[in-house]
Amino acid sequence: MSKVALVTGGSRGIGAAISKALQEAGYTVVATYAGNDEAAKSFTEETGIKTYKWSVADYDACAEGIKRIEDEVGPIAVLVNNAGITRDAMFHKMTPQQWKEVIDTNLTGLFNMTHPVWSGMRDRKFGRIINISSINGQKGQAGQANYSAAKAGDLGFTKALAQEGARAGITVNAICPGYIATEMVKAIDEKVLSERIIPQIPVGRLGEPEEIARTVVFLASDDAGFITGSTISANGGQFFV
Ligand SMILES: NC(=O)c1ccc[n+]([C@@H]2O[C@H](COP(=O)([O-])OP(=O)(O)OC[C@H]3O[C@@H](n4cnc5c(N)ncnc54)[C@H](OP(=O)(O)O)[C@@H]3O)[C@@H](O)[C@H]2O)c1
């Protein structure tokens, strides 16, 4: 029987590419999303991948949703914490609401999703947790104090949990994408992209969602069993740690 992989925010953008790549690699994939029913419906029609709707910011919804998936599909072997949002503002204009929404989704969401799968992974002596952080969690970004704090927090979470999971056969790793050609980034004004953003990327182009997806497939594989607590930067050389 194939292993079950759950991808949060797996119906759109980078998450959709991750879901498809894991499916192609032989996993039984399920994807979650927050509210875009139309995108989830067409994603399921295209791929046959089941989608489930709840917010990763809600612990009880995560625990219930994961139980339902494990009852319907099987124990989760691979969890990809990909769901994320931005609520950008310069700090002097940032509202407590903008701060809270981003921390609740991008940082607490990792606790909420990982905690309910952790005991099962420990019992089965196998698990793969892959957290999608960001280049802006590594270097910081003006206008994103909330996002940068949450994404940096994801890296601390990854390193601490890797130490706890190691003896139980669970690896925990993070990927920090740079600028990736998703709808969000492609919506940026062409002039801004070509004159201000792409010149900062030494390889001279945006990353493709599939490039992040292939990194996830590798980290999920048995071949990556000795890699844990790592942060993989996938940013075209834009920033080195
Ligand atoms: N794009 C980039 O250049 C880039 C760079 C670095 C890091 N990242 C990170 O990569 C991840 C994916 O980014 P993306 O650009 O592919 O984003 P996206 O296209 O905006 O898709 C985000 C996905 O997350 C889901 N989501 C958002 N809030 C959620 C919540 N509270 N509960 C459950 N699901 C939720 C969305 O659901 P709905 O479809 O229902 O809205 C959607 O499926 C994020 O963590 C982002 O921070 C992206």
Side-chain angles (χ1 to χ4, degrees):
M1 236 182 64
S2 64
K3 288 183 180 132
V4 176
L6 188 164
V7 184
T8 68
S11 58
R12 282 201 297 123
I14 295 171
I18 295 170
S19 298
K20 289 182 202 169
L22 285 167
Q23 184 185 49
E24 211 163 287
Y27 294 86
T28 300
V29 180
V30 292
T32 73
Y33 68 104
N36 191 333
D37 296 318
E38 210 173 301
K41 188 166 172 279
S42 62
F43 172 79
T44 300
E45 280 166 7
E46 180 199 338
T47 61
I49 293 172
K50 272 188 168 183
T51 53
Y52 295 79
K53 177 162 81 169
W54 76 77
S55 173
V56 298
D58 178 339
Y59 182 84
D60 291 339
C62 292
E64 275 167 36
I66 286 166
K67 184 174 181 321
R68 188 174 151 212
I69 289 170
E70 293 204 319
D71 288 347
E72 287 178 13
V73 187
I76 292 160
V78 178
L79 170 65
V80 185
N81 284 312
N82 165 77
I85 57 168
T86 52
R87 298 286 183 268
D88 296 354
M90 292 303 280
F91 189 62
H92 62 284
K93 291 187 179 162
M94 187 172 284
T95 64
Q97 182 70 11
Q98 287 172 320
W99 173 267
K100 187 171 168 4
E101 281 178 18
V102 169
I103 298 293
D104 286 354
T105 302
N106 296 8
L107 177 57
T108 309
L110 269 59
F111 173 84
N112 294 344
M113 285 299 300
T114 308
H115 198 251
V117 301
W118 190 250
S119 296
M121 287 182 174
R122 278 168 54 94
D123 293 345
R124 294 187 295 276
K125 296 268 174 279
F126 182 87
R128 294 282 188 265
I129 309 285
I130 300 155
N131 300 320
I132 308 300
S133 175
S134 169
I135 185 175
N136 292 343
Q138 297 173 297
K139 71 174 186 61
Q141 176 61 46
Q144 290 196 323
N146 50 2
Y147 184 84
S148 299
K151 292 296 190 181
D154 293 345
L155 301 181
F157 175 76
T158 298
K159 291 170 195 170
L161 214 54
Q163 295 175 43
E164 293 194 23
R167 292 284 167 140
I170 307 169
T171 67
V172 188
N173 291 289
I175 300 172
C176 287
Y179 279 95
I180 306 300
T182 57
E183 279 166 42
M184 185 176 76
V185 171
K186 282 193 257 178
I188 298 172
D189 181 75
E190 181 57 37
K191 209 168 137 68
V192 174
L193 259 183
S194 62
E195 290 179 12
R196 295 201 8 222
I197 294 178
I198 293 179
Q200 292 175 26
I201 307 172
V203 302
R205 63 171 177 85
L206 300 174
E208 294 297 331
E210 292 73 19
E211 294 180 293
I212 305 304
R214 288 194 290 273
T215 311
V216 170
V217 171
F218 171 63
L219 288 174
S221 71
D222 289 340
D223 287 344
F226 201 55
I227 300 174
T228 194
S230 290
T231 299
I232 297 186
S233 300
N235 62 32
Q238 191 181 349
F239 183 74
F240 303 124
V241 183

